[in-house]
Amino acid sequence: MAWKTLDDMDFAGKRALVRVDINVPVENGTVTDTTRIERIVPTVHDIQDKGGKVILMAHFGRPKGKVVPEMSLEIVAPAVADVLGLPVTWANSDYADAVSEMEDDEVLLLENLRFNPGEEKNDEGFAKRLASLGDIYVNDAFSAAHRAHASTEALAHLLPACAGRLMAEELSALEKALGTPERPVVAVVGGAKVSTKLDLLGNLVGKVDHLVIGGGMANTFLAAQGINVGKSLCEHDLADTARDILGKAEKAGCEIILPRDIVVAREFAAGAENETVAPNACPADAMILDAGPATVVYISDVLDNAKTLVWNGPLGAFEMAPFDAATNAAAAKAANLSKAGKLISVAGGGDTVAALNQANAADDFTYISTAGGAFLEWMEGKTLPGVAALR
Ligand code: ADP
Ligand code: MG
């Protein structure tokens, strides 16, 4: 592996500065979802087991370089203590004093790094101040790795650096899916708009064997082929771009899979009256809200023959039944193949994760990334500064 992990470092008697993502939802001063905190537990425990002291560094909300009391990590500290089962001390900006008073099993949580304008500026001075607090830098915040900030980038160059357990897990899952994948590789890209996923499509056509295009973005591709899509969500101004992507795919030997049948309705609402028609038969006063059963059968066949799947974006307007049918069916198929050990499946994206949960498929996927923007940038083939700095 191109990066070090906790196993490569000697933590005995050392202080570890651990960048984590505990940007959790809070209502009325209480944390309402502790998932992100739960995911850093192995890293904190492993460092302590190896004899190290843990200093947690994190951001919380977007205070833009100023002290905003509602965004103080003091609010989150009790939940961190609860989940870790350890005493957690919150340290306001007098970091150095708090560090010198640390007990062995005590975890120190530094105040919201983004209260300091140096954090988002990737400021060398702020990074040096942080570096002076510890001996080893551990980055366990893949979801913040697409930002070059002092705690994700500059600091990594100032101390011996390694990936935490969560970061290492995410990196190896992503590496397996697109870095050196077992072929054939299928990508499913759906969602609302082509314009938000141009870089993604551009990168994937050069890397995968089959690219399923679904959701609202499929409409733009159908329209680019001269098909009338009625009142469907469609970016007509991107017709040339869509044709470019089709041309690039053909050259690269990547099969583009567009809907082979479509589910159309006259209302954008749950339970709206609908019919399944051929892709070129959308009535002028209707909109395409899902892919039809023939498309699902075709996608299932492709998945049966595939070894690896990466998925971002639902195949239809999944928030409203029955327009969740294609997404649910494809998700169930991928989940079953993964459970049977026949497919490596990696998925990410806010709505995608919601859709896979709704389909009860998420648990059987090989890996579900909750990293949002960082996951997308990685799928787009971009270098993530926080990952590059660990190399
Ligand atoms: P993610 O958050 O996983 O990256 P997106 O935000 O790109 O996914 O896309 C999800 C949205 O796309 C959902 O709100 C869904 O309703 C919408 N969508 C999917 N198919 C269609 C369609 N045919 N028409 C309109 N909206 C659609
Ligand atoms: Mg979304």
Side-chain angles (χ1 to χ4, degrees):
M1 262 183 224
W3 52 84
K4 292 194 167 124
T5 70
L6 300 186
D7 302 321
D8 301 308
M9 315 304 268
D10 178 11
F11 287 97
K14 302 270 172 62
R15 284 192 297 253
L17 282 163
V18 187
R19 177 60 158 102
V20 292
D21 181 358
I22 49 171
N23 195 18
V24 288
V26 168
E27 264 168 50
N28 302 321
T30 344
V31 175
T32 53
D33 180 356
T34 56
T35 311
R36 283 186 159 159
I37 304 174
E38 286 155 31
R39 300 190 78 186
I40 65 165
V41 171
T43 295
V44 174
H45 286 175
D46 283 3
I47 293 170
Q48 286 196 341
D49 288 349
K50 289 162 174 284
K53 287 185 187 172
V54 175
I55 301 169
L56 299 177
M57 306 176 293
H59 70 278
F60 185 39
R62 292 173 182 236
K64 305 218 166 113
K66 288 195 203 81
V67 176
V68 179
E70 310 82 82
M71 294 181 194
S72 170
L73 276 170
E74 188 174 17
I75 301 165
V76 179
V80 178
D82 245 25
V83 174
L84 290 177
L86 292 167
V88 172
T89 306
W90 164 80
N92 68 10
S93 53
D94 288 329
Y95 299 152
D97 282 350
V99 168
S100 64
E101 287 160 18
M102 268 177 94
E103 306 278 344
D104 278 348
D105 71 332
E106 179 185 350
V107 171
L108 197 66
L109 172 60
L110 302 188
E111 179 57 298
N112 191 348
L113 298 174
R114 289 187 186 169
F115 281 3
N116 190 306
E119 166 64 359
E120 292 187 71
K121 286 186 186 137
N122 199 17
D123 178 69
E124 184 79 16
F126 184 53
K128 280 189 177 145
R129 206 182 134 205
L130 293 173
S132 71
L133 305 174
D135 309 295
I136 296 174
Y137 170 72
V138 179
N139 191 344
D140 213 20
F142 177 81
S143 49
H146 57 315
R147 313 249 187 250
H149 291 172
S151 67
T152 61
E153 210 281 330
L155 179 55
H157 300 290
L158 300 175
L159 291 174
C162 73
R165 296 292 183 221
L166 179 57
M167 170 76 96
E169 182 187 64
E170 185 104 25
L171 290 176
S172 54
L174 299 188
E175 183 65 21
K176 252 187 232 157
L178 270 194
T180 47
E182 275 191 68
R183 293 189 178 272
V185 188
V186 185
V188 172
V189 179
K193 289 182 172 181
V194 173
S195 51
T196 59
K197 297 192 177 173
L198 281 178
D199 291 344
L200 179 62
L201 294 170
N203 183 45
L204 289 177
V205 291
K207 293 216 165 126
V208 307
D209 305 293
H210 310 271
L211 173 59
V212 177
I213 299 178
M217 35 198 304
N219 305 340
T220 301
F221 280 83
L222 293 175
Q225 294 175 320
I227 290 172
N228 193 328
V229 296
K231 293 201 164 139
S232 302
L233 175 65
C234 180
E235 292 168 292
H236 291 284
D237 54 326
L238 288 178
D240 284 341
T241 308
R243 282 189 290 266
D244 279 353
I245 290 169
L246 295 175
K248 199 177 163 197
E250 199 177 342
K251 268 196 211 123
C254 167
E255 182 199 17
I256 299 278
I257 301 167
L258 286 166
R260 306 192 142 210
D261 54 350
I262 53 175
V263 181
V264 299
R266 281 163 180 90
E267 241 188 308
F268 191 85
E273 198 181 313
N274 62 84
E275 54 183 328
T276 301
V277 297
N280 61 359
C282 178
D285 61 345
M287 60 202 139
I288 305 168
L289 292 182
D290 198 11
T295 309
V296 171
V297 168
Y298 190 78
I299 294 172
S300 297
D301 284 350
V302 170
L303 290 176
D304 270 327
N305 292 306
K307 289 276 195 320
T308 304
L309 165 69
V310 287
W311 187 336
N312 170 261
L315 294 175
F318 78 98
E319 298 96 334
M320 312 180 293
F323 309 107
D324 56 351
T327 303
N328 289 346
K333 179 74 190 182
N336 285 335
L337 289 170
S338 308
K339 199 173 172 183
K342 292 179 183 154
L343 183 72
I344 292 170
S345 52
V346 174
D351 291 293
T352 309
V353 176
L356 296 182
N357 278 326
Q358 187 180 300
N360 274 324
D363 287 348
D364 290 325
F365 267 61
T366 314
Y367 194 75
I368 300 276
S369 172
T370 50
F375 175 78
L376 261 186
E377 288 198 21
W378 169 81
M379 285 247 294
E380 288 166 354
K382 293 186 179 145
T383 302
L384 308 185
V387 175
L390 289 181
R391 284 181 198 279

